[in-house]
Amino acid sequence: MIKKGMRRQIVLHYILVVFVALLLVEVIFLLAIRTYYYDSVYSKITTQIATAEDYLKYKFTGERSPHQMQELLNFFALDNTELQVLTTKGDIITSSTGFQPDRTITTSDVSEAVGGSVGRWVGRQAGTNESVMAVSKMLHINGRETYVLRYLTSMERINKDLLNLTLVSVGIGAAVMTIVVLFSFGLANSIVKPLNNITAVSAQMAKGRFTTRIKGDYKYEIGDLANTLNYMAEEIVRSNQIKDDFISSISHELRTPLTSIKGWSETLISGGYDPEETKLGMGIITKESDRLISMVEELLDFSKLQQNEMKLSIGFVDIRALLQETTLNIWAKAEKKRIHLVLECEDTIFVKGDPNRLKQVFLNLVDNAVKFSPEDSSIVLSAQRLNAKEMAVVVRDSGIGISEAHLARVKDRFFQVDALNGGTGLGLAISQQIVELHGGKLEMSSELGQGTQVTVVLPLTDEMPPAGPALQDMM
């Protein structure tokens, strides 16, 4: 007995479907063969009856005589078939066998013949219990006398042939079912064995062994499943590596400002410093505190986005005013590297969105451009309508660029192109999710050593902004 499982279900269902189909085919086939044989006998007898009718019209004249009846029996008798001449009441007048039982024929074929049609009856012969077919037809002789011409033939030989054919069909069916059973086991094993292998490897992955891989050249959906699980394991290994790198990086990033804050705090507590040194220390403490706050806020934003808890305060946003604020916020940092910020924007471009979150996106993009651009270079911020429904903000620099391998991963969480530049590696991941929350998309193109271009596409609004400052929500 096959134990419960997918193998058993496949085998049983496959056998059941084939068995039912085979049974229907055999039943229909045997019924068709039986009908064909029986109809052939019936057709042969009715043809003989039609010939007898034509003969009687021209040959039988005058009064009925035993000679005429005997001629009828001799001329129209069929092999292995008894020909009877009956009265309309079913009494036997004569028979080709010479045996005239003292009884009345009451089978349905006689009554049908008397009714004017060709009667047909299949059943068991009284006395012998032999399977027979009777075909009867009423005949008119000389327009005066009416008789029933009845052919009675044995169906035993045909039934025997049909039985033999049935046994052969059953044997063929049994052979087919045997082949089906063997084939179904093979089919079930071809599905279940790979699944068992995949299940075993998945169990290893569930225990944290993500270096395990599903081996085997599986095809179709099972192959897709194996490839997907292998890909999942690779992604988990990569994510774990990125997470480890992030933890290492963020630990370093947090330690550096905390060390500065702690050092200057202890120094200032010890006293004995002039106001200028105290002011310098407090400035460093403030700067490093802001840096810590920025990193913590970035982590909190990422956590909110991951849990779908970030709420947007939607309003009308003047893109030109927003980009002007962005350049002013980043101007001091750009000035230190003598980087020139260029703003190119149409005067009236409005979108519906959260101005603070969109400003966060553009600040991150421009800050990255400044970070990876050489001194005495330019960064261009441009905004323009693409069509009646969309607009685009482009941040283009001439910095170090991003390699093709890194470009595919640069928007992944925790990924950093250059870990030495600091940061959490979450800026672009957060920016992309914020843009997607606004119904837009963030696209990047870069060439190593030539610079990078980041495009933010946002939907335009058909509504008119209210009177007053367009960015009042940001104030």
Side-chain angles (χ1 to χ4, degrees):
M1 185 65 181
I2 311 173
K3 67 178 183 179
K4 290 184 178 180
M6 184 176 290
R7 181 186 283 106
R8 177 178 176 179
Q9 292 298 314
I10 292 173
V11 170
L12 292 181
H13 282 82
Y14 196 75
I15 290 175
L16 179 62
V17 170
V18 174
F19 175 76
V20 172
L22 194 61
L23 181 63
L24 288 175
V25 169
E26 289 208 359
V27 168
I28 293 171
F29 170 74
L30 291 173
L31 287 175
I33 291 295
R34 182 182 185 277
T35 302
Y36 170 77
Y37 273 97
Y38 276 52
D39 285 350
S40 296
V41 173
Y42 174 75
S43 177
K44 185 176 181 180
I45 293 175
T46 53
T47 301
Q48 191 74 354
I49 291 175
T51 305
E53 283 187 297
D54 293 337
Y55 178 81
L56 291 174
K57 289 179 182 178
Y58 301 103
K59 280 288 186 179
F60 279 32
T61 57
E63 296 295 330
R64 184 185 73 184
S65 66
H67 176 73
Q68 287 179 330
M69 289 298 147
Q70 189 59 44
E71 184 181 355
L72 177 65
L73 293 177
N74 293 336
F75 190 79
F76 293 105
L78 291 173
D79 294 337
N80 301 317
T81 302
E82 180 183 357
L83 174 57
Q84 300 172 342
V85 180
L86 313 178
T87 66
T88 55
K89 294 181 179 180
D91 297 325
I92 297 177
I93 298 174
T94 185
S95 170
S96 61
T97 62
F99 179 69
Q100 295 177 243
D102 187 16
R103 63 183 179 86
T104 302
I105 305 300
T106 58
T107 53
S108 61
D109 60 299
V110 176
S111 58
E112 291 174 8
V114 172
S117 61
V118 178
R120 175 178 174 176
W121 172 78
V122 177
R124 293 286 175 178
Q125 176 78 332
T128 62
N129 201 34
E130 182 182 8
S131 178
V132 295
M133 175 188 290
V135 180
S136 302
K137 180 71 167 59
M138 189 167 64
L139 302 177
H140 300 280
I141 299 176
N142 300 328
R144 299 189 303 274
E145 299 181 12
T146 302
Y147 305 97
V148 174
L149 197 64
R150 184 173 189 255
Y151 284 90
L152 186 69
T153 185
S154 174
M155 304 300 291
E156 289 294 329
R157 183 176 178 181
I158 291 178
N159 288 342
K160 185 178 179 180
D161 291 342
L162 290 174
L163 177 61
N164 291 334
L165 187 60
T166 301
L167 294 176
V168 171
S169 299
V170 170
I172 294 173
V176 170
M177 288 304 302
T178 302
I179 295 172
V180 167
V181 169
L182 297 176
F183 181 80
S184 63
F185 273 104
L187 177 64
N189 288 331
S190 69
I191 296 173
V192 174
K193 283 186 177 180
L195 289 178
N196 288 339
N197 183 29
I198 292 172
T199 302
V201 175
S202 300
Q204 295 296 316
M205 291 180 181
K207 294 177 181 178
R209 300 170 186 168
F210 298 114
T211 55
T212 308
R213 293 291 181 271
I214 300 169
K215 298 179 180 179
D217 186 18
Y218 302 131
K219 297 181 179 180
Y220 311 118
E221 286 80 358
I222 293 179
D224 293 339
L225 176 61
N227 292 334
T228 301
L229 286 174
N230 285 336
Y231 176 73
M232 179 195 72
E234 292 171 2
E235 288 297 302
I236 291 174
V237 170
R238 188 170 69 86
S239 296
N240 285 340
Q241 183 61 47
I242 292 174
K243 181 188 68 176
D244 293 340
D245 294 343
F246 166 73
I247 292 173
S248 175
S249 175
I250 200 67
S251 299
H252 174 75
E253 289 295 318
L254 292 173
R255 185 186 295 112
T256 301
L258 287 174
T259 301
S260 298
I261 292 171
K262 180 178 174 59
W264 276 102
S265 298
E266 291 175 348
T267 300
L268 293 175
I269 289 173
S270 65
Y273 294 93
D274 59 40
E276 286 299 322
E277 289 179 331
T278 302
K279 184 177 180 182
L280 175 62
M282 294 302 295
I284 292 175
I285 290 174
T286 301
K287 179 182 177 182
E288 297 299 331
S289 297
D290 290 340
R291 185 177 169 189
L292 283 174
I293 290 171
S294 176
M295 285 191 287
V296 171
E297 286 180 346
E298 200 168 61
L299 290 171
L300 289 173
D301 284 345
F302 180 74
S303 177
K304 288 179 181 178
L305 285 168
Q306 290 298 103
Q307 299 175 24
N308 295 320
E309 292 180 355
M310 179 171 282
K311 306 297 181 184
L312 299 180
S313 179
I314 301 298
F316 286 94
V317 181
D318 184 338
I319 293 298
R320 182 181 180 84
L322 185 64
L323 294 180
Q324 285 176 338
E325 279 202 29
T326 302
T327 56
L328 288 174
N329 288 143
I330 212 75
W331 178 81
K333 185 173 182 179
E335 188 68 18
K336 290 181 181 179
K337 296 180 68 174
R338 298 187 301 278
I339 293 175
H340 183 51
L341 299 178
V342 180
L343 177 61
E344 301 173 351
C345 180
E346 299 179 23
D347 290 334
T348 55
I349 299 180
F350 289 93
V351 299
K352 288 195 74 174
D354 187 327
N356 290 318
R357 292 300 178 186
L358 289 177
K359 182 179 176 182
Q360 178 182 347
V361 171
F362 298 135
L363 276 173
N364 178 264
L365 299 180
V366 178
D367 182 69
N368 284 342
V370 171
K371 187 184 298 183
F372 295 103
S373 291
E375 295 182 353
D376 299 314
S377 61
S378 296
I379 296 174
V380 179
L381 282 79
S382 62
Q384 60 183 355
R385 291 180 176 84
L386 298 177
N387 49 55
K389 295 183 178 180
E390 291 181 322
M391 59 81 55
V393 175
V394 179
V395 179
R396 184 172 64 254
D397 65 60
S398 54
I400 62 174
I402 305 172
S403 67
E404 187 176 345
H406 285 163
L407 189 62
R409 299 174 54 194
V410 73
K411 289 185 283 187
D412 291 352
R413 56 185 182 176
F414 308 130
F415 180 79
Q416 293 175 287
V417 175
D418 185 1
L420 297 178
N421 276 295
T424 62
L426 293 174
L428 280 175
I430 293 173
S431 296
Q432 177 169 270
Q433 289 186 277
I434 290 174
V435 171
E436 289 174 354
L437 285 176
H438 283 80
K441 55 186 177 181
L442 188 149
E443 301 171 341
M444 295 186 68
S445 61
S446 183
E447 186 176 348
L448 200 60
Q450 299 297 319
T452 302
Q453 176 174 302
V454 184
T455 304
V456 176
V457 179
L458 294 170
L460 290 167
T461 177
D462 295 330
E463 302 177 39
M464 293 299 296
L471 294 174
Q472 58 186 349
D473 292 336
M474 294 173 53
M475 307 303 180

